[in-house]
Amino acid sequence: LSSGINAEYGDEQKKQEKERARISEDHMLREAFVDGLRNGQLFDDMFLEDGDGSKLNQLPQIAETFDLYRSRFSKVCEELVSFGLREAEHREGEKALFLAAVN
């Protein structure tokens, strides 16, 4: 009985840690002005909910091109995320320097 309770507690704790990590990452991406660019989210928002696009994607010759475009689009988004995170870190450094100079 005790080991079952400990296992449940451990599972719940892992879920909470994952949720905290997700919230932290979401906040970090928002602060870097790149939220919504990870994991193909922007692509999905733009193209998968498009009724005409989904009809066009049913054609065999288009599906391959669509997958290639999605891959390239996602790569560019990940590059933007990396750039945004670096710049956010740079802004934080500048902000710290400014506050140190003012105070």
Side-chain angles (χ1 to χ4, degrees), residues 2-100:
S2 177
S3 64
I5 292 173
N6 287 340
E8 286 181 30
Y9 176 74
D11 290 344
E12 184 62 31
Q13 193 172 16
K14 287 178 186 177
K15 286 179 186 177
Q16 289 175 355
E17 288 173 14
K18 283 183 180 181
E19 182 64 15
R20 279 193 294 269
R22 186 193 63 76
I23 290 171
S24 176
E25 181 181 18
D26 287 350
H27 176 74
M28 181 179 60
L29 294 172
R30 222 178 0 270
E31 290 294 313
F33 305 108
V34 292
D35 49 324
L37 294 181
R38 275 248 162 105
N39 304 321
Q41 184 180 349
L42 178 61
F43 186 88
D44 292 345
D45 290 347
M46 290 173 51
F47 292 102
L48 295 183
E49 295 178 11
D50 178 19
D52 293 332
S54 61
K55 290 177 189 174
L56 187 61
N57 196 28
Q58 293 175 1
L59 300 171
Q61 61 272 33
I62 298 298
E64 185 178 318
T65 303
F66 184 80
D67 290 340
L68 179 62
Y69 181 66
R70 180 186 180 129
S71 172
R72 290 180 179 172
F73 189 93
S74 295
K75 183 179 178 184
V76 169
C77 285
E78 285 300 320
E79 290 173 6
L80 285 170
V81 168
S82 295
F83 178 77
L85 292 172
R86 281 192 311 271
E87 288 301 307
E89 191 175 307
H90 181 75
R91 281 192 304 276
E92 284 301 313
E94 288 180 338
K95 182 178 167 183
L97 288 172
F98 173 76
L99 291 174

